[in-house]
Amino acid sequence: MKTSFYNVNAESFYNDTVAVDLSPLYDLFLPLLAPSGHIIDAGCGSGRDSLYFLQHGFAVSAFDASERLVEKASALTGLDVELNTFEHFRTEKLADGIWACASLLHVASNALPAAFTNLSKNLKDGGYLYCSFKYGNDDVERGGRYFTNADESRLTMFIKHTRLHMVKTWITADARPDRQDEKWLNAILVKGNRNEP
């Protein structure tokens, strides 16, 4: 995962994303979790979502792979945001939910199964993981950034050898006003064996 883009462009990225309203996504994810449950904000970027979760009574752990965004998210939220990656992050307190909004798409497609496997190790049995990808089935590099796109079948392949299973997928337009034409795959996954109720 390349972080140089986000270190160089941290200020503009922060300003472009920190005020984006994702209430419709929060409203689908948060009711699945226990009140005041523990959420890991995986690839937290500006810290926008972590701040929202804190304001709504959740315990939050957050990490990002960009040093500059770790600094900015820490300042915004008051959290000790950790500099780490999807493949290596570990917590002693397993999460009720993991939030990976528009973040896993920057992991190379051949590394995504390992990223999902590691994230699932940080999630309680019966816990939920939200993730989103630009809709498609290819890998692209644009403007100095790498994107792994995903549709439903590609996401299924990424999680095939984990204990994560799809609960729900849906398509949305980009929440930023200037990018309404971009489509996103949203997914809620649950951790558990296939034969579990």
Side-chain angles (χ1 to χ4, degrees), residues 35-46:
S36 73
H38 176 213
I39 299 174
I40 295 170
D41 191 354
C44 66
S46 67

Side-chain angles (χ1 to χ4, degrees), residues 11-195:
E11 195 71 32
S12 60
F13 177 81
Y14 178 92
N15 292 333
D16 287 347
T17 59
V18 72
V20 174
D21 180 12
L22 294 186
S23 297
L25 300 180
Y26 303 145
D27 290 348
L28 287 170
F29 180 69
L30 295 180
L32 299 171
L33 310 183
S36 73
H38 176 213
I39 299 174
I40 295 170
D41 191 354
C44 66
S46 67
R48 169 200 64 213
D49 303 329
S50 289
L51 181 62
Y52 184 93
F53 301 150
L54 289 168
Q55 291 171 338
H56 287 76
F58 291 91
V60 179
S61 302
F63 71 88
D64 201 275
S66 161
E67 294 93 337
R68 291 283 292 117
L69 288 176
V70 163
E71 293 170 8
K72 298 189 80 61
S74 296
L76 178 71
T77 62
L79 292 169
D80 183 14
V81 176
E82 190 173 323
L83 180 66
N84 215 323
T85 64
F86 300 106
E87 297 93 329
H88 297 108
F89 176 82
R90 293 309 296 266
T91 180
E92 292 181 6
K93 183 187 177 189
L94 296 181
D96 299 279
I98 295 178
W99 179 264
C101 182
S103 54
L104 282 163
L105 78 171
H106 296 303
V107 177
S109 56
N110 62 2
L112 266 170
F116 274 112
T117 295
N118 185 57
L119 287 178
S120 72
K121 292 176 181 175
N122 293 283
L123 188 63
K124 293 177 181 176
D125 282 354
Y128 292 91
L129 186 153
Y130 166 81
C131 59
S132 56
F133 293 83
K134 291 177 184 288
Y135 196 79
N137 60 5
D138 56 353
D139 304 339
V140 297
E141 192 156 350
R142 187 168 63 247
R145 288 191 291 173
Y146 174 92
F147 296 93
T148 294
N149 299 325
D151 56 16
E152 296 86 348
S153 61
R154 198 173 201 210
L155 179 56
T156 299
M157 293 303 297
F158 292 148
I159 66 171
K160 184 175 181 181
H161 299 293
T162 72
R163 291 185 61 220
L164 297 169
H165 311 293
M166 285 194 203
V167 174
K168 175 183 176 70
T169 61
W170 68 103
I171 310 297
T172 55
D174 198 298
R176 294 165 292 185
D178 60 332
R179 303 197 187 181
Q180 287 284 312
D181 291 340
E182 290 190 17
K183 299 301 180 191
W184 288 80
L185 173 70
N186 302 266
I188 292 176
L189 315 176
V190 67
K191 179 179 176 179
N193 292 326
R194 289 191 185 278
N195 58 358

